[in-house]
Amino acid sequence: MTRLAAFLAWSTQAGSPDAVEKALSVMKSKLNEQGFDYYDWNENQSVNKDIGAKVSDELLKSDLVILEGSKQRPNLAYEVGFAHALHLPLVVVKQAGSERLPENFGEPDYLSYPSDVTDDAGFETFETRFADWLRKLTLTTLSPGQRSARQGRNALTEQINKFIDGYPEEHASLHLLGGWAGALARELDSGGASQLVVDADYYLPSFSSLREWNGGTIRAIADLTDETEQFWTPDHPEEMTANVSERVFLIDWSWFFENEDRLARQIELWKRHQARHREGPYEIFIAAKEELRVGEVHPLGPTAVGHHLLLLEPDLIGGYRPNPGRVDGRQLVIERNSLRYAGATQFYDSIKARAVRFDPAMKVVDLRRAWVARNGIGRWDEDWTSETEFRSPDYFDSYERHIRCWIPRYAQLIRDCAATVFREILRIYADKMRAVDVLEIGYGTGRLTSEIVPWIRNINRPFYDLEHHGPVRLYRGVDRAEQMTRYARELLKPEQQTGLDMRLVRGTAWEDVDGRYDVVFGSLVMHFLVGPDPTDERLDEFFANCNEHTTEDGTLVFADVFGVNGDRKGASAMEKWREWMIRYGLAEKEVDGYMAGNTDMTSAAPVSLLRKAAEAHGFRTRVKVVGAPTLPFRIVVFEKERAN
């Protein structure tokens, strides 16, 4: 912000011109000491032809008006009136004993100076009073915030006046301007002085002005999962971090796993933020965007957009809410409220409690490791028994995060498994020209289901519109865990899947499976179905059940972990898996806990053993590597061989 500006005007006809000059010298000296520039009208009026316009221009640029009023000169009334219209602080200095100004001048502040230039004590008193008045103004009426708001108001008023002056006669544009200005006034009036509500587009200039504010700590939450704040880009405006002591960035948790490139770019941006502001305190914390927990309430309530939050000590909060006047619009809400500030502080601290302090030396792997450790992601609980349905809620609540620390390239495994199921559905449909029925075993949180169902709906839609069965007639899913069933039903809403007969039930394979299906599939379930180090009898029973519940040309598709005959190659694959988990963010202790708690995975049946058992029941075997051939994860297809 520019230096403070003062406008000075004084009379050359005062009773003691020497006293006037001395008073002016005292005031100019104190103005310089307090950081003011000043415009002395009497020193410049001789070069001005349009006196009225020049006075107006200089008053508009001023923060303070100082007038000598010992003689009631005609221009004095104009200058006082203009200052009052602009709500500028005004002081009238007068020689002792001169006439008081009329009451309709608005009773401005008066400072008296001696009429006798040799009255040193009197001028010392005048100097002290004037200096005290300036200091008081710089802390109150001329504080940076007051000045910023006043300058913004004056700039708006000036532009409106210029617009009006451009239409000396009646015109529709004047009505449009009046409507807009009235709406803006009503918007500002909606919360009075305690609340500022403006369109979110004005966030940047509003926040930028805070560079001049040093009244307390500024903290903020920036929710990067919401697109309201578009300025968190490589072109990020520097002033947005100039006065913030700490900021929590919320990102989608998938950035740690499937969007590492995006996270890497964001890390570079955070580094630049801190480098720009290394002189002052500016700490960055990173947290994953979570559903709000019990007790976590955004201070703007359920209408808040995202988790964005601004905290300015001692009593100011800010955030976004929908703009009722604009589709997809946002309003910036700034509110002064001590009680809400206390609640907002609790909300902020709760979010920060699961955040990681950012260090510029961090890479993606370091940030992920710190976040995983901070939030206990991937930590295997000894109480999580092999019976999935009896595991505690924290296993299910964070399952999608846990699984990405345990299973290499989990998202790729799911996508590849879904693609394989698609191919088998289309193959059977093309061969038989009849609707296909599918069964998913162990649908869990619905991750694989949510890949497959939209695809099925798309290929079914044209047939459904013609009131015919599409390529897929039935979709059945079975899972033994009540928590998983509830989660998947809420996510997928099977009863609302138009054009598809879909049911997700709680049960076990194969006791609660009825009928025969063309494609039977599952992800990370086969190792559970056949158990660790399965015997020939167990495998024979498994494929007998598969044969019983598949059609004559049916197919099995399983994405899972598979052993390698217990030889050195198999041991190496398990060791590579263990190394991957450590490299991906888990501590060795956590990896050991997971391996010990999942012997059905670490001792999974090898494909060669499964192939032998499958062939005995009429299935031929195809294998696809997932991730890397050195890791023990595969997609295995068991396809019924056609009779000659």
Side-chain angles (χ1 to χ4, degrees), residues 247-279:
R247 181 179 270 113
V248 180
F249 285 95
L250 296 182
I251 65 174
D252 191 291
W253 61 264
S254 67
W255 289 20
F256 290 112
F257 303 104
E258 278 101 53
N259 288 293
E260 295 181 54
D261 290 345
R262 184 172 183 180
L263 183 55
R265 291 193 297 272
Q266 198 68 45
I267 286 174
E268 291 304 312
L269 181 59
W270 293 328
K271 287 180 181 178
R272 289 197 294 274
H273 287 181
Q274 288 195 315
R276 288 172 181 171
H277 305 285
R278 62 172 62 93
E279 300 298 327

mmCIF file of all heavy atoms in Angstrom, residues 247-279:
data_model
loop_
_atom_site.group_PDB
_atom_site.id
_atom_site.type_symbol
_atom_site.label_atom_id
_atom_site.label_comp_id
_atom_site.label_asym_id
_atom_site.label_seq_id
_atom_site.Cartn_x
_atom_site.Cartn_y
_atom_site.Cartn_z
ATOM 1 N N ARG A 247 -1.078 -23.206 6.693
ATOM 2 C CA ARG A 247 -2.215 -23.591 5.849
ATOM 3 C C ARG A 247 -2.245 -25.114 5.728
ATOM 4 O O ARG A 247 -1.211 -25.743 5.507
ATOM 5 C CB ARG A 247 -2.103 -22.952 4.464
ATOM 6 C CG ARG A 247 -3.272 -23.293 3.553
ATOM 7 C CD ARG A 247 -3.134 -22.622 2.196
ATOM 8 N NE ARG A 247 -3.759 -21.306 2.162
ATOM 9 C CZ ARG A 247 -3.109 -20.170 2.040
ATOM 10 N NH1 ARG A 247 -1.791 -20.170 1.946
ATOM 11 N NH2 ARG A 247 -3.745 -19.022 2.009
ATOM 12 N N VAL A 248 -3.425 -25.686 5.896
ATOM 13 C CA VAL A 248 -3.630 -27.117 5.703
ATOM 14 C C VAL A 248 -4.223 -27.320 4.313
ATOM 15 O O VAL A 248 -5.283 -26.771 4.004
ATOM 16 C CB VAL A 248 -4.575 -27.704 6.770
ATOM 17 C CG1 VAL A 248 -4.770 -29.207 6.535
ATOM 18 C CG2 VAL A 248 -4.035 -27.456 8.171
ATOM 19 N N PHE A 249 -3.536 -28.080 3.485
ATOM 20 C CA PHE A 249 -4.055 -28.415 2.163
ATOM 21 C C PHE A 249 -4.727 -29.782 2.238
ATOM 22 O O PHE A 249 -4.109 -30.762 2.689
ATOM 23 C CB PHE A 249 -2.934 -28.456 1.131
ATOM 24 C CG PHE A 249 -2.437 -27.105 0.707
ATOM 25 C CD1 PHE A 249 -1.336 -26.529 1.317
ATOM 26 C CD2 PHE A 249 -3.075 -26.398 -0.291
ATOM 27 C CE1 PHE A 249 -0.880 -25.278 0.943
ATOM 28 C CE2 PHE A 249 -2.630 -25.149 -0.683
ATOM 29 C CZ PHE A 249 -1.520 -24.586 -0.066
ATOM 30 N N LEU A 250 -5.963 -29.846 1.792
ATOM 31 C CA LEU A 250 -6.680 -31.109 1.740
ATOM 32 C C LEU A 250 -6.646 -31.636 0.311
ATOM 33 O O LEU A 250 -7.000 -30.932 -0.631
ATOM 34 C CB LEU A 250 -8.137 -30.926 2.173
ATOM 35 C CG LEU A 250 -8.360 -30.493 3.622
ATOM 36 C CD1 LEU A 250 -9.854 -30.413 3.906
ATOM 37 C CD2 LEU A 250 -7.698 -31.458 4.586
ATOM 38 N N ILE A 251 -6.224 -32.875 0.144
ATOM 39 C CA ILE A 251 -6.186 -33.506 -1.166
ATOM 40 C C ILE A 251 -6.984 -34.797 -1.115
ATOM 41 O O ILE A 251 -7.285 -35.322 -0.037
ATOM 42 C CB ILE A 251 -4.732 -33.803 -1.608
ATOM 43 C CG1 ILE A 251 -4.080 -34.832 -0.675
ATOM 44 C CG2 ILE A 251 -3.903 -32.523 -1.645
ATOM 45 C CD1 ILE A 251 -2.692 -35.289 -1.127
ATOM 46 N N ASP A 252 -7.361 -35.294 -2.269
ATOM 47 C CA ASP A 252 -8.024 -36.597 -2.335
ATOM 48 C C ASP A 252 -7.001 -37.672 -1.972
ATOM 49 O O ASP A 252 -5.866 -37.641 -2.443
ATOM 50 C CB ASP A 252 -8.550 -36.839 -3.752
ATOM 51 C CG ASP A 252 -9.476 -38.044 -3.815
ATOM 52 O OD1 ASP A 252 -8.963 -39.175 -3.640
ATOM 53 O OD2 ASP A 252 -10.670 -37.875 -4.047
ATOM 54 N N TRP A 253 -7.402 -38.604 -1.132
ATOM 55 C CA TRP A 253 -6.434 -39.602 -0.665
ATOM 56 C C TRP A 253 -5.861 -40.432 -1.807
ATOM 57 O O TRP A 253 -4.761 -40.974 -1.710
ATOM 58 C CB TRP A 253 -7.058 -40.516 0.396
ATOM 59 C CG TRP A 253 -8.244 -41.315 -0.058
ATOM 60 C CD1 TRP A 253 -9.544 -41.003 0.090
ATOM 61 C CD2 TRP A 253 -8.216 -42.579 -0.745
ATOM 62 N NE1 TRP A 253 -10.343 -41.974 -0.457
ATOM 63 C CE2 TRP A 253 -9.555 -42.962 -0.978
ATOM 64 C CE3 TRP A 253 -7.199 -43.419 -1.169
ATOM 65 C CZ2 TRP A 253 -9.896 -44.135 -1.617
ATOM 66 C CZ3 TRP A 253 -7.537 -44.601 -1.816
ATOM 67 C CH2 TRP A 253 -8.860 -44.941 -2.033
ATOM 68 N N SER A 254 -6.585 -40.511 -2.930
ATOM 69 C CA SER A 254 -6.078 -41.300 -4.065
ATOM 70 C C SER A 254 -4.806 -40.696 -4.651
ATOM 71 O O SER A 254 -4.059 -41.379 -5.351
ATOM 72 C CB SER A 254 -7.152 -41.419 -5.147
ATOM 73 O OG SER A 254 -7.420 -40.161 -5.744
ATOM 74 N N TRP A 255 -4.548 -39.402 -4.370
ATOM 75 C CA TRP A 255 -3.321 -38.785 -4.878
ATOM 76 C C TRP A 255 -2.091 -39.520 -4.358
ATOM 77 O O TRP A 255 -1.060 -39.557 -5.019
ATOM 78 C CB TRP A 255 -3.241 -37.326 -4.453
ATOM 79 C CG TRP A 255 -4.205 -36.426 -5.135
ATOM 80 C CD1 TRP A 255 -5.362 -36.778 -5.779
ATOM 81 C CD2 TRP A 255 -4.108 -35.007 -5.236
ATOM 82 N NE1 TRP A 255 -5.995 -35.663 -6.270
ATOM 83 C CE2 TRP A 255 -5.258 -34.559 -5.954
ATOM 84 C CE3 TRP A 255 -3.194 -34.066 -4.795
ATOM 85 C CZ2 TRP A 255 -5.481 -33.215 -6.222
ATOM 86 C CZ3 TRP A 255 -3.420 -32.727 -5.067
ATOM 87 C CH2 TRP A 255 -4.545 -32.314 -5.771
ATOM 88 N N PHE A 256 -2.200 -40.095 -3.158
ATOM 89 C CA PHE A 256 -1.060 -40.800 -2.585
ATOM 90 C C PHE A 256 -0.778 -42.111 -3.313
ATOM 91 O O PHE A 256 0.327 -42.656 -3.216
ATOM 92 C CB PHE A 256 -1.306 -41.119 -1.107
ATOM 93 C CG PHE A 256 -1.288 -39.914 -0.214
ATOM 94 C CD1 PHE A 256 -2.445 -39.465 0.403
ATOM 95 C CD2 PHE A 256 -0.112 -39.221 0.013
ATOM 96 C CE1 PHE A 256 -2.436 -38.360 1.232
ATOM 97 C CE2 PHE A 256 -0.084 -38.116 0.844
ATOM 98 C CZ PHE A 256 -1.242 -37.679 1.454
ATOM 99 N N PHE A 257 -1.776 -42.612 -4.060
ATOM 100 C CA PHE A 257 -1.657 -43.930 -4.646
ATOM 101 C C PHE A 257 -1.778 -43.939 -6.164
ATOM 102 O O PHE A 257 -0.883 -44.436 -6.852
ATOM 103 C CB PHE A 257 -2.713 -44.860 -4.040
ATOM 104 C CG PHE A 257 -2.643 -44.968 -2.552
ATOM 105 C CD1 PHE A 257 -3.556 -44.323 -1.739
ATOM 106 C CD2 PHE A 257 -1.636 -45.708 -1.951
ATOM 107 C CE1 PHE A 257 -3.487 -44.404 -0.362
ATOM 108 C CE2 PHE A 257 -1.549 -45.812 -0.562
ATOM 109 C CZ PHE A 257 -2.475 -45.154 0.232
ATOM 110 N N GLU A 258 -2.867 -43.388 -6.691
ATOM 111 C CA GLU A 258 -3.102 -43.457 -8.140
ATOM 112 C C GLU A 258 -2.807 -42.170 -8.897
ATOM 113 O O GLU A 258 -2.817 -42.165 -10.114
ATOM 114 C CB GLU A 258 -4.561 -43.845 -8.416
ATOM 115 C CG GLU A 258 -4.803 -45.338 -8.331
ATOM 116 C CD GLU A 258 -5.446 -45.741 -7.018
ATOM 117 O OE1 GLU A 258 -6.476 -45.168 -6.661
ATOM 118 O OE2 GLU A 258 -4.898 -46.630 -6.343
ATOM 119 N N ASN A 259 -2.577 -41.069 -8.178
ATOM 120 C CA ASN A 259 -2.311 -39.789 -8.844
ATOM 121 C C ASN A 259 -0.988 -39.211 -8.370
ATOM 122 O O ASN A 259 -0.899 -38.032 -8.008
ATOM 123 C CB ASN A 259 -3.446 -38.798 -8.575
ATOM 124 C CG ASN A 259 -4.714 -39.156 -9.323
ATOM 125 O OD1 ASN A 259 -4.751 -39.094 -10.544
ATOM 126 N ND2 ASN A 259 -5.735 -39.547 -8.589
ATOM 127 N N GLU A 260 0.031 -40.038 -8.402
ATOM 128 C CA GLU A 260 1.325 -39.598 -7.892
ATOM 129 C C GLU A 260 1.921 -38.460 -8.720
ATOM 130 O O GLU A 260 2.604 -37.586 -8.174
ATOM 131 C CB GLU A 260 2.296 -40.781 -7.848
ATOM 132 C CG GLU A 260 1.879 -41.864 -6.856
ATOM 133 C CD GLU A 260 2.871 -43.021 -6.815
ATOM 134 O OE1 GLU A 260 4.059 -42.745 -6.600
ATOM 135 O OE2 GLU A 260 2.457 -44.167 -7.013
ATOM 136 N N ASP A 261 1.669 -38.450 -10.025
ATOM 137 C CA ASP A 261 2.184 -37.364 -10.859
ATOM 138 C C ASP A 261 1.580 -36.029 -10.427
ATOM 139 O O ASP A 261 2.284 -35.012 -10.345
ATOM 140 C CB ASP A 261 1.874 -37.614 -12.336
ATOM 141 C CG ASP A 261 2.686 -38.764 -12.908
ATOM 142 O OD1 ASP A 261 3.668 -39.165 -12.249
ATOM 143 O OD2 ASP A 261 2.332 -39.255 -13.995
ATOM 144 N N ARG A 262 0.287 -36.033 -10.161
ATOM 145 C CA ARG A 262 -0.364 -34.799 -9.723
ATOM 146 C C ARG A 262 0.167 -34.360 -8.370
ATOM 147 O O ARG A 262 0.404 -33.168 -8.130
ATOM 148 C CB ARG A 262 -1.875 -35.015 -9.650
ATOM 149 C CG ARG A 262 -2.650 -33.761 -9.294
ATOM 150 C CD ARG A 262 -4.141 -33.981 -9.415
ATOM 151 N NE ARG A 262 -4.872 -32.748 -9.134
ATOM 152 C CZ ARG A 262 -6.190 -32.645 -9.165
ATOM 153 N NH1 ARG A 262 -6.921 -33.705 -9.495
ATOM 154 N NH2 ARG A 262 -6.782 -31.507 -8.887
ATOM 155 N N LEU A 263 0.374 -35.315 -7.472
ATOM 156 C CA LEU A 263 0.912 -34.991 -6.161
ATOM 157 C C LEU A 263 2.329 -34.442 -6.281
ATOM 158 O O LEU A 263 2.703 -33.496 -5.578
ATOM 159 C CB LEU A 263 0.892 -36.230 -5.264
ATOM 160 C CG LEU A 263 1.359 -36.021 -3.809
ATOM 161 C CD1 LEU A 263 0.565 -34.918 -3.133
ATOM 162 C CD2 LEU A 263 1.244 -37.328 -3.025
ATOM 163 N N ALA A 264 3.118 -35.006 -7.187
ATOM 164 C CA ALA A 264 4.488 -34.523 -7.398
ATOM 165 C C ALA A 264 4.480 -33.070 -7.869
ATOM 166 O O ALA A 264 5.295 -32.248 -7.417
ATOM 167 C CB ALA A 264 5.211 -35.412 -8.405
ATOM 168 N N ARG A 265 3.556 -32.731 -8.774
ATOM 169 C CA ARG A 265 3.458 -31.347 -9.243
ATOM 170 C C ARG A 265 3.039 -30.418 -8.108
ATOM 171 O O ARG A 265 3.525 -29.291 -8.001
ATOM 172 C CB ARG A 265 2.461 -31.253 -10.399
ATOM 173 C CG ARG A 265 2.942 -31.914 -11.685
ATOM 174 C CD ARG A 265 2.065 -31.520 -12.865
ATOM 175 N NE ARG A 265 0.700 -31.962 -12.725
ATOM 176 C CZ ARG A 265 0.238 -33.147 -13.122
ATOM 177 N NH1 ARG A 265 1.068 -34.024 -13.694
ATOM 178 N NH2 ARG A 265 -1.038 -33.474 -12.965
ATOM 179 N N GLN A 266 2.142 -30.904 -7.263
ATOM 180 C CA GLN A 266 1.698 -30.082 -6.148
ATOM 181 C C GLN A 266 2.826 -29.859 -5.151
ATOM 182 O O GLN A 266 2.958 -28.777 -4.572
ATOM 183 C CB GLN A 266 0.509 -30.759 -5.462
ATOM 184 C CG GLN A 266 -0.312 -29.829 -4.587
ATOM 185 C CD GLN A 266 -1.064 -28.787 -5.385
ATOM 186 O OE1 GLN A 266 -1.676 -29.088 -6.399
ATOM 187 N NE2 GLN A 266 -1.002 -27.550 -4.945
ATOM 188 N N ILE A 267 3.648 -30.871 -4.946
ATOM 189 C CA ILE A 267 4.798 -30.737 -4.046
ATOM 190 C C ILE A 267 5.722 -29.630 -4.526
ATOM 191 O O ILE A 267 6.226 -28.819 -3.728
ATOM 192 C CB ILE A 267 5.548 -32.079 -3.925
ATOM 193 C CG1 ILE A 267 4.742 -33.052 -3.045
ATOM 194 C CG2 ILE A 267 6.943 -31.883 -3.346
ATOM 195 C CD1 ILE A 267 5.313 -34.443 -2.981
ATOM 196 N N GLU A 268 5.955 -29.561 -5.822
ATOM 197 C CA GLU A 268 6.803 -28.499 -6.369
ATOM 198 C C GLU A 268 6.184 -27.123 -6.101
ATOM 199 O O GLU A 268 6.901 -26.157 -5.818
ATOM 200 C CB GLU A 268 7.010 -28.706 -7.875
ATOM 201 C CG GLU A 268 7.867 -29.913 -8.217
ATOM 202 C CD GLU A 268 9.232 -29.854 -7.546
ATOM 203 O OE1 GLU A 268 9.883 -28.778 -7.623
ATOM 204 O OE2 GLU A 268 9.644 -30.859 -6.939
ATOM 205 N N LEU A 269 4.877 -27.038 -6.184
ATOM 206 C CA LEU A 269 4.194 -25.771 -5.914
ATOM 207 C C LEU A 269 4.336 -25.399 -4.449
ATOM 208 O O LEU A 269 4.611 -24.241 -4.111
ATOM 209 C CB LEU A 269 2.727 -25.886 -6.310
ATOM 210 C CG LEU A 269 1.851 -24.642 -6.115
ATOM 211 C CD1 LEU A 269 2.400 -23.479 -6.910
ATOM 212 C CD2 LEU A 269 0.416 -24.939 -6.523
ATOM 213 N N TRP A 270 4.148 -26.363 -3.557
ATOM 214 C CA TRP A 270 4.304 -26.085 -2.132
ATOM 215 C C TRP A 270 5.727 -25.645 -1.808
ATOM 216 O O TRP A 270 5.931 -24.777 -0.964
ATOM 217 C CB TRP A 270 3.917 -27.315 -1.320
ATOM 218 C CG TRP A 270 2.465 -27.647 -1.404
ATOM 219 C CD1 TRP A 270 1.428 -26.778 -1.551
ATOM 220 C CD2 TRP A 270 1.880 -28.952 -1.363
ATOM 221 N NE1 TRP A 270 0.236 -27.452 -1.604
ATOM 222 C CE2 TRP A 270 0.475 -28.798 -1.493
ATOM 223 C CE3 TRP A 270 2.386 -30.238 -1.233
ATOM 224 C CZ2 TRP A 270 -0.405 -29.863 -1.484
ATOM 225 C CZ3 TRP A 270 1.508 -31.311 -1.229
ATOM 226 C CH2 TRP A 270 0.134 -31.127 -1.349
ATOM 227 N N LYS A 271 6.699 -26.235 -2.451
ATOM 228 C CA LYS A 271 8.090 -25.815 -2.247
ATOM 229 C C LYS A 271 8.267 -24.348 -2.614
ATOM 230 O O LYS A 271 8.933 -23.586 -1.892
ATOM 231 C CB LYS A 271 9.040 -26.673 -3.098
ATOM 232 C CG LYS A 271 9.238 -28.094 -2.611
ATOM 233 C CD LYS A 271 10.193 -28.830 -3.537
ATOM 234 C CE LYS A 271 10.384 -30.270 -3.096
ATOM 235 N NZ LYS A 271 11.288 -31.008 -4.024
ATOM 236 N N ARG A 272 7.693 -23.946 -3.738
ATOM 237 C CA ARG A 272 7.828 -22.557 -4.172
ATOM 238 C C ARG A 272 7.118 -21.611 -3.199
ATOM 239 O O ARG A 272 7.604 -20.517 -2.918
ATOM 240 C CB ARG A 272 7.264 -22.378 -5.584
ATOM 241 C CG ARG A 272 8.140 -23.022 -6.648
ATOM 242 C CD ARG A 272 7.796 -22.469 -8.029
ATOM 243 N NE ARG A 272 6.470 -22.835 -8.472
ATOM 244 C CZ ARG A 272 6.179 -23.965 -9.106
ATOM 245 N NH1 ARG A 272 7.142 -24.868 -9.361
ATOM 246 N NH2 ARG A 272 4.941 -24.230 -9.506
ATOM 247 N N HIS A 273 5.977 -22.045 -2.682
ATOM 248 C CA HIS A 273 5.273 -21.215 -1.699
ATOM 249 C C HIS A 273 6.183 -20.906 -0.517
ATOM 250 O O HIS A 273 6.315 -19.754 -0.103
ATOM 251 C CB HIS A 273 4.044 -21.955 -1.162
ATOM 252 C CG HIS A 273 2.925 -22.040 -2.143
ATOM 253 N ND1 HIS A 273 1.735 -22.658 -1.837
ATOM 254 C CD2 HIS A 273 2.794 -21.602 -3.405
ATOM 255 C CE1 HIS A 273 0.934 -22.589 -2.881
ATOM 256 N NE2 HIS A 273 1.555 -21.956 -3.837
ATOM 257 N N GLN A 274 6.788 -21.941 0.033
ATOM 258 C CA GLN A 274 7.608 -21.736 1.216
ATOM 259 C C GLN A 274 8.884 -20.968 0.890
ATOM 260 O O GLN A 274 9.343 -20.158 1.692
ATOM 261 C CB GLN A 274 7.940 -23.079 1.868
ATOM 262 C CG GLN A 274 6.737 -23.703 2.564
ATOM 263 C CD GLN A 274 7.119 -24.822 3.517
ATOM 264 O OE1 GLN A 274 7.931 -25.671 3.187
ATOM 265 N NE2 GLN A 274 6.529 -24.827 4.692
ATOM 266 N N ALA A 275 9.453 -21.210 -0.275
ATOM 267 C CA ALA A 275 10.670 -20.497 -0.659
ATOM 268 C C ALA A 275 10.416 -18.997 -0.787
ATOM 269 O O ALA A 275 11.262 -18.179 -0.431
ATOM 270 C CB ALA A 275 11.221 -21.049 -1.969
ATOM 271 N N ARG A 276 9.248 -18.628 -1.291
ATOM 272 C CA ARG A 276 8.927 -17.217 -1.455
ATOM 273 C C ARG A 276 8.784 -16.501 -0.116
ATOM 274 O O ARG A 276 9.033 -15.308 -0.002
ATOM 275 C CB ARG A 276 7.605 -17.060 -2.219
ATOM 276 C CG ARG A 276 7.675 -17.402 -3.699
ATOM 277 C CD ARG A 276 6.274 -17.404 -4.261
ATOM 278 N NE ARG A 276 6.250 -17.744 -5.681
ATOM 279 C CZ ARG A 276 5.139 -17.981 -6.371
ATOM 280 N NH1 ARG A 276 3.980 -17.947 -5.755
ATOM 281 N NH2 ARG A 276 5.184 -18.269 -7.651
ATOM 282 N N HIS A 277 8.385 -17.248 0.898
ATOM 283 C CA HIS A 277 8.058 -16.622 2.173
ATOM 284 C C HIS A 277 8.921 -17.178 3.303
ATOM 285 O O HIS A 277 8.455 -17.353 4.419
ATOM 286 C CB HIS A 277 6.569 -16.806 2.472
ATOM 287 C CG HIS A 277 5.694 -16.300 1.382
ATOM 288 N ND1 HIS A 277 5.477 -14.967 1.176
ATOM 289 C CD2 HIS A 277 5.026 -16.940 0.396
ATOM 290 C CE1 HIS A 277 4.690 -14.809 0.124
ATOM 291 N NE2 HIS A 277 4.403 -15.990 -0.362
ATOM 292 N N ARG A 278 10.177 -17.419 2.982
ATOM 293 C CA ARG A 278 11.081 -17.984 3.983
ATOM 294 C C ARG A 278 11.387 -16.994 5.103
ATOM 295 O O ARG A 278 11.856 -17.384 6.174
ATOM 296 C CB ARG A 278 12.379 -18.446 3.324
ATOM 297 C CG ARG A 278 13.180 -17.334 2.661
ATOM 298 C CD ARG A 278 14.550 -17.835 2.193
ATOM 299 N NE ARG A 278 14.423 -18.865 1.203
ATOM 300 C CZ ARG A 278 14.426 -18.641 -0.110
ATOM 301 N NH1 ARG A 278 14.514 -17.399 -0.569
ATOM 302 N NH2 ARG A 278 14.311 -19.634 -0.965
ATOM 303 N N GLU A 279 11.137 -15.691 4.866
ATOM 304 C CA GLU A 279 11.429 -14.698 5.886
ATOM 305 C C GLU A 279 10.446 -14.783 7.053
ATOM 306 O O GLU A 279 10.786 -14.464 8.182
ATOM 307 C CB GLU A 279 11.372 -13.288 5.281
ATOM 308 C CG GLU A 279 12.356 -13.062 4.140
ATOM 309 C CD GLU A 279 13.800 -13.222 4.583
ATOM 310 O OE1 GLU A 279 14.088 -12.886 5.745
ATOM 311 O OE2 GLU A 279 14.619 -13.696 3.780
#
